[in-house]
Amino acid sequence: MKKNICVIGGGRWGKNHIRTLSGLGCLAAIVESDSARLNAFLDEYPGVKGYTDVEEAIAARYDGYTVALPAELHYPIGKKLLESGLHVLMEKPMTLTSAQSRELVELAGRTSSRLMVGHVLLFHPAYRKIKEVIESGKLGKLFYLYSNRLNLGTVRTEESVFSSFAPHDISILDYLTGGAAVKIEARGAKFLQDKVFDTTLTQLEYPHHVHAHIYVSWLHPYKQQLLVVVGSKGMISFDDSTSEKEIHFYNKRIDFENGVPVKVENPDEIIPYEPKMPLEEELKYFVEHLDTAIGINDGAAGYEVVKVLETVQKLVEK
Ligand SMILES: NC(=O)c1ccc[n+]([C@@H]2O[C@H](COP(=O)([O-])OP(=O)(O)OC[C@H]3O[C@@H](n4cnc5c(N)ncnc54)[C@H](O)[C@@H]3O)[C@@H](O)[C@H]2O)c1
C-alpha cells in the first residue's frame, strides 16, 4: 500500500524509521532541525522532501507522520499534528506526563486522527509467539513473569532509566497478561547523577493474581533483555539480546504429592517462530491502518504506559 509518510526527527532511532519507510516505498519527507544531518539524508534518499521546520511539513499534509524526537517534544509536536487532523505514530514514551497523553488521545478522537505509539516489541515475532503459547494453555495458569533490560548505557541526563528503558517492558507485560497492572511498587538508586535513577526494580500485580517485576539498569556490565514467564504447567525464557533469539520452553513444574512439593522436570524445547523485523512490521501496520482504526499500540495503550512511568517515578523518589 503506497502512502506518503513524513518522519520527524532523524536521530539515532529516527534514522531507522527513515530507512525502513524508504524500504517500504513510503518515505516522502524528513523533518530534521540539524541541517547537515538533513542534507546527508537527502543525499542518501533522493526524491525525498526535506524540512528543518515542522510547520512546513504540517502544511504539506502527508498521509502520516512518525515522530522520533526527544521525548519532551512529543507532546507539543503531537498536538500540532493532531490539531491539524493528521495521523501520527509517536515514538515511546508517548509524552512526559499522563495528562499530556490523555489530552492527545482526546484530541485525536475529536479530529478523527489516527494515533499510534511506537511500542515496537509488540510487533516482535517472538513476543507474539509467547502470547500464543500462553493462550494455548501450554504454560497452565500464569503465575508470574519478569523482564530484565540491562546494559552499559545509553545514559540519559533528563529522564530516569525506567522512563528510558521500561516502556518496552510495561507494554510487553500488559500485552502478555492481557491488561494493566492493578498494584505497583518500586525502588530505585542513583549513582552517576544527582537526579537521575540508574537502576530500578518495579513489582507489578496484574488481575487474577499474576505477579511481575521489571528490573532495568544502564549501569550493568553486559546487555540482557530477558523475559521469563512462569506458569503452573511450564515456563518460558527469551533473551532478545542473544544472537540465537531462541524461545526456550521448560517442561518443568512443582507438583504436590501428599502435601509434599515435588519437582517435575521433562526435556526442554525450543519453540520456533518466523523471524520478522519488528520496526518494519510496526511501520507497515501504521501505513495499512491510516484509513481504518489502530487496534495495536493505540493512543490509549500509550497513555497506560505513561501512567505507569509516572507512578514509578513518584514511588522511586519517595
Ligand atoms: N521504539 C524504540 O525502540 C526506540 C528506540 C530508541 C529511541 N526511541 C525513541 O525515539 C525518540 C528519539 O530518540 P533518539 O535516540 O533517536 O534521539 P536523538 O536525540 O538521537 O534524535 C532526535 C533527533 O531529532 C532532531 N530534532 C530535535 N528537535 C527537532 C525539531 N524541533 N524538529 C526537527 N528535528 C528535531 C535532533 O536534531 C535529532 O537528530 C525518543 O523518544 C526515544 O525514546 C524509541
Side-chain angles (χ1 to χ4, degrees), residues 8-17 31-34 37 41 51-54 67-74 77 91-93 118-121 154 156 159 163-164 168 279 282:
I8 307 179
R12 279 163 294 190
W13 186 244
K15 71 176 184 323
N16 299 327
H17 281 222
V31 187
E32 170 53 60
S33 55
D34 176 336
R37 240 186 123 70
F41 284 126
Y51 304 92
T52 49
D53 179 4
V54 76
V67 179
L69 293 169
E72 64 275 14
L73 293 177
H74 290 187
I77 301 288
E91 259 313 331
K92 61 87 199 162
H119 297 142
V120 69
L121 294 187
T154 304
R156 307 266 178 187
E159 60 176 353
S163 299
S164 178
H168 290 308
L279 183 61
E282 176 190 273

Side-chain angles (χ1 to χ4, degrees), residues 238-248 270 273:
F238 171 69
D239 188 342
D240 199 18
S241 65
T242 60
S243 50
E244 301 82 19
K245 297 188 187 295
E246 286 172 341
I247 301 175
H248 291 262
I270 305 280
Y273 63 93

Side-chain angles (χ1 to χ4, degrees), residues 296-318:
I296 305 175
N297 285 345
D298 62 358
Y303 163 68
E304 288 299 332
V305 170
V306 175
K307 248 181 14 185
V308 176
L309 296 178
E310 215 169 52
T311 303
V312 169
Q313 189 64 29
K314 280 188 196 137
L315 289 167
V316 292
E317 274 169 3
K318 250 188 193 174

